Amino acid sequence: MTNLDQSLLDNLEYRGLIYQSTNRDGLQEKLNKEPIVLYCGFDPTADSLHIGHLLPILILRHFQKAGHRPIALVGGGTGMIGDPSGRSTERSLNTADTVALWTERLKAQLSRFLDFEGDNPAKLVSNYDWLGSLDLITFLRDIGKNFTVNYMLAKDSVDSRLANGISFTEFSYMILQSYDFYKLLTDHGCSLQVGGSDQWGNITAGLDLIGKMGGGEAYGMTLPLVTKSDGKKFGKSESGAVWLDRSKTSVYAFYQFWINTDDNDVIKFLKYFTFLERERIAELERELAERPEQRAAQRELAREVTRLVHGDDAVVSAEKITQALFSGDVTQLSEAELVEALQDMPTTVVGGQEETPLLELLIETKAAPSKRQAREDIEKGAVYLNGQREQALDFVVTREHRLHGKYAVIRRGKKNYFLVKFE
């Protein structure tokens, strides 16, 4: 295991994925001796994970590819409490049924990234299995006694909230996460916890609890906070969070998020979010420097992350939609691809009359603010129907022009698309 695991930590360092770690030399020595078990926790605060969760998921995958056993812990118990880390206000508490439903959805998503068969199978667990049956006296007497209030107040996740107030519920979160680490170590031999940089206080608290309760040797590691060079928050698009659930963020929108990565960020993101070899990343970095207009690095990033999250078919579909919108010819798209491509574009539902003047559709879809402007746009050749330029003022849209029997796509200029759906 020596060479393999030396290269594992070296690879993580090269990719910039290690932000903080406890006893790095001790961890390296343990990795050299034997496969380890590690875990990362994901609280069900929504019905889907988003791309902010990708980095910790991929860390688990890096370790598994190197022969170690990852545990993905879904916080069925802690999700009912709320983690104060990285937040300035209290979370809204969800019902037990909601948390249980979201827990199952997160389990299904996590299972797409890790291998649950083979020689070092991953494991999915929910901390509700042990926290749900933990009685108050045991919690206070056997676990809580190991934490002083002064120790907890000194943690950033708590200290940063004192000015605005923090409930006893969220104040206790650190103890519950610490107990998770202790339980996973004693029940599953899990000796390493990984998490985002905001989890450092919770991770080190877990190590302290393990030491006081005689749990054994354990380590912690955090990942960097992902930032963008323009100062904007990573993981947000113009329409909001970028989710891993394709029903919340379409495959095309997901692909576009990555392909729109700034030149200043793309090499860093290739290291963070793909498993490309160093040589290939260096190639793309040279190409970016020499021919930035080709955007080869962005295309590779979009391809690799879309494949990782949604599969090969999704990459084909996203690239097909991208090419169709770039060329303006949407006639080759399937109905599902057409709807996906234009789901964030203005959509107008109109009656199912046999014929509709194009001039009227431009007004009805708000592609043009007035008939005068609509006429001017048509005459100037700025209006396209299903990818074809139409310059006749008396042009009529008939049933023959409907894609899949019920859609028409109007484009005004280069990028302004409007979807018409006929009832």
Side-chain angles (χ1 to χ4, degrees), residues 200-247:
W200 182 246
N202 291 334
I203 291 173
T204 54
L207 293 171
D208 288 342
L209 178 65
I210 287 168
K212 289 175 180 176
M213 295 183 71
E217 184 182 25
Y219 307 88
M221 179 188 296
T222 64
L223 321 174
L225 176 69
V226 183
T227 57
K228 293 171 70 174
S229 59
D230 62 6
K232 292 181 181 177
K233 188 173 181 180
F234 174 78
K236 297 280 187 181
S237 66
E238 290 182 7
S239 56
V242 180
W243 301 94
L244 304 190
D245 183 338
R246 65 198 302 165
S247 69

Side-chain angles (χ1 to χ4, degrees), residues 267 270 276 279-289 296-297 300-301:
I267 300 303
L270 281 167
L276 293 176
E279 295 77 10
R280 179 56 181 151
I281 294 175
E283 251 177 61
L284 291 165
E285 190 167 15
R286 284 193 297 272
E287 197 159 345
L288 176 67
E300 189 106 358
L301 175 66

Side-chain angles (χ1 to χ4, degrees), residues 352-421:
Q353 57 265 35
E354 294 292 323
E355 298 181 344
T356 310
L358 178 59
L359 201 62
E360 285 184 17
L361 280 182
L362 288 172
I363 303 300
E364 198 161 350
T365 59
K366 295 184 171 57
S370 65
K371 280 194 175 182
R372 184 180 67 79
Q373 185 64 55
R375 289 192 192 96
E376 190 177 315
D377 289 340
I378 292 173
E379 288 176 333
K380 285 184 175 179
V383 175
Y384 297 77
L385 179 72
N386 300 335
Q388 296 294 316
R389 178 184 277 127
E390 302 296 349
Q391 290 185 268
L393 288 175
D394 59 353
F395 185 85
V396 174
V397 180
T398 68
R399 285 187 176 273
E400 292 178 359
H401 298 108
R402 298 181 191 178
L403 302 175
H404 309 291
K406 55 185 172 182
Y407 300 103
V409 177
I410 293 173
R411 176 162 63 98
R412 178 173 175 256
K414 289 186 176 180
K415 295 182 178 179
N416 299 309
Y417 283 88
F418 303 84
L419 180 65
V420 180
K421 184 176 180 181

